[in-house]
Amino acid sequence: MATTHQCLCGATLRYRQDLRKDTSGTTRRWQCKDCGTLVPGIVGERLSHQHPV
């Protein structure tokens, strides 16, 4: 089953392409590509491994 996440800006995040990696810290954090809102860690990691067919 594929993971999806509904961002606060209304975007539906489904794939790695929908995310932007935040490299400001020592740990990997993911943000919505559209608005920059942080995505919960476990959800971001799952989405980072999903690619469109």
Side-chain angles (χ1 to χ4, degrees):
M1 181 175 187
T3 299
T4 62
H5 178 72
Q6 190 71 35
C7 184
L8 297 174
C9 71
T12 300
L13 309 177
R14 291 186 179 100
Y15 305 113
R16 182 184 188 111
Q17 291 84 344
D18 299 330
L19 301 172
R20 179 173 56 209
K21 192 183 335 182
D22 177 10
T23 57
S24 63
T26 57
T27 60
R28 209 168 25 181
R29 296 182 347 168
W30 299 98
Q31 299 172 318
C32 172
K33 186 177 180 182
D34 293 340
C35 69
T37 300
L38 284 175
V39 175
I42 212 78
V43 175
E45 287 299 319
R46 288 180 182 165
L47 291 174
S48 73
H49 296 285
Q50 293 182 174
H51 302 279
V53 177

